Structure formats: C-alpha cells, structure tokens
Amino acid sequence: MNTSVLRPLGLAALASLALLTGACTKSTDPQAAADVAVSAEDQSLADEENAALTDLVEAGSPADAAVAASPAAEPTDLAQVAGNCFTRTYEASTRTLTLDFGPVNCVGPNGVARRGKVVAVFSGPYRQAGATVTITLVNYYRNDNLHTGTRTLTHLGNGSWKLQVQNASVTTAAGTHSWASERQYTRTAGFGTRTILDDEYSVTGQASGTNRKGVSYTATIEQPLVKKIQAGCARTFVAGTVKIQTSREKELLLNYDPTGTQACDNLATITSNGVTRTIRLGRAL
C-alpha cells in the first residue's frame, strides 16, 4: 500500500458537519437556523460521497498506468469498499478506469447500495507531483440518490493534494443539492515512515451551493483544519474553524478546538448570534 498520501477514509471527516443539525435548531430564528442546518447536512452527504469516490479510485487505480488491463493497485482495499458489486476495466490507451456497478442496486460490505458507473481518467503516473485524475459519474446512484459532477484530484508532491468538485449535485427524495468546492490537503507530519498512523494534514478551502430547500450558502474554512491520522482519531479534525453562511444572512462558526489543546475528544463549539455552545461531534457514516 502506498502510504505517501492521505487514505480516503480521512476525507470522510468532513461529513462531521452533519451534527450541526440538532444544535442549529435552537436559534431564536428557526427558519434561518434551519437553513444553516440543511446546508450543513447537504454538505455532509456530499463530502461523504466525495470520500467514497476517492477511496474507490485510489484503490482501483492501475498498478501501472501504461499497461493494458493493469490490475488494481490495492485490490484488497477495493474489495473492502465495494465488495463484489462491480466490474473493473482499465484501458491503457486512454488511461481510463471504469468501475461499473450495473443497472441494479448492489449493496457493498459497508451497507451502501450503488448502481451506475464511476469513470476515472489519469493524466499520467498516479500519485506523482502534478499528476491528476478526473472522476466523472454515469447514471450513478448511492442509496437511490443520484450523484453528478466532476471531481479532479491533483497530487502536489510530498503527500499533499488538491480536490476540486465542479457542477456537482445530489438528488434525493427531499430535493436537489447542487454545489462546487475546492480543498487542499497539505501534509505536515509523517514523512518517511511506512505507517499512516503518524500523518498530519492542514486542510484549507471552501464550498458553495444551493441546498435542497433552494437556499444558497457558503462554507469556508477560516482557520486551517488540523487532521491527525491516529488510532481512534482518523475521522476527527482536532483544530480549525469553518464558517457557514446562507443567503438569508444566517451565519454560524464551528470551532473544532475550543480548549486549545488539539485533543481528539470530538468536542467542538458553535457560535451564532453571539451565543456559543459546546457540542459533541458525531462519527461519519
């Protein structure tokens, strides 16, 4: 396994925004607070699938991009994510990886039902500085929610990388959430070791979109998020702040390190209308 990059499960930490739901509804302006909560929930679902897609492509990437029908670089990891729910093909002439989940829902080992195709095109040798992979979706559903959009992963060297999401949407029974985002993961520790359990990253970036209720929002990382890949701490940011603001002028600040100790304790604070409350972050699904 290549350990020079952040394992995709680490991406799922962004899904912790979902827990804003319960806290926000206590605002003195219920509708405005609900707007922020819905936006946070929608970003959570989006980020969770961004994590899963990156995980799939990371594990399914060709061991040698120049070789026709090159096997998956990490077949065990790919099976752990998707089980036997897909057909994998790789075309060296176009550097195209296709994971075809078929036209009927197939439930993987993590309980996620998928159908449709994930298509990834590699610009060159994967994981080298400057190399990119562009991920597109073809009639792709996760748990009967239709996902669209283009995701571009660019490796920056030294285990750092950038993820750009464009023209993305998730259509659910409750409505359609559309968004775009850009985030950069800069590796700050864990160089030169064969384990990921001492890796650390600084995460910056922003997202903007329209939630499933038709309210536009922005989510901006104001102070870089700190991610430590440690046993029992892989999915939790231990520091940093995120501001979520809707078009109805409701704003909330999420602080991952209210004690200033960078403890992996799942505690955070939210501040809205000058009122600060302590909350406990939930685990990403």
Side-chain angles (χ1 to χ4, degrees), residues 105-234:
N105 277 348
C106 182
V107 180
N110 57 358
V112 174
R114 292 186 172 92
R115 64 183 189 270
K117 297 179 182 180
V118 176
V119 180
V121 179
F122 300 85
S123 68
Y126 194 37
R127 297 171 178 161
Q128 292 187 7
T132 64
V133 55
T134 302
I135 304 169
T136 56
L137 308 175
V138 181
N139 295 324
Y140 177 76
Y141 289 79
R142 172 191 168 103
N143 292 337
D144 292 320
N145 297 323
L146 175 64
H147 288 252
T148 69
T150 301
R151 292 153 177 85
T152 303
L153 184 72
T154 303
H155 287 273
L156 305 176
N158 292 323
S160 300
W161 45 276
K162 179 171 65 177
L163 178 66
Q164 294 174 297
V165 182
Q166 297 177 315
N167 301 318
S169 67
V170 181
T171 300
T172 70
T176 297
H177 164 221
S178 58
W179 85 98
S181 66
E182 181 172 318
R183 293 191 172 96
Q184 181 167 318
Y185 285 71
T186 301
R187 190 172 181 177
T188 58
F191 301 97
T193 65
R194 297 184 62 84
T195 176
I196 64 173
L197 292 180
D198 56 2
D199 291 354
E200 294 184 19
Y201 294 83
S202 174
V203 184
T204 58
Q206 62 285 316
S208 62
T210 302
N211 70 26
R212 63 184 184 271
K213 300 297 184 181
V215 177
S216 60
Y217 72 90
T218 59
T220 305
I221 298 174
E222 290 204 326
Q223 296 179 356
L225 306 183
V226 176
K227 164 152 291 296
K228 296 182 178 181
I229 312 301
Q230 300 173 349
C233 197

Side-chain angles (χ1 to χ4, degrees), residues 11-30:
L11 282 172
L14 295 172
S16 61
L17 288 175
L19 69 82
L20 295 176
T21 306
C24 290
T25 54
K26 297 179 181 179
S27 169
T28 55
D29 184 348

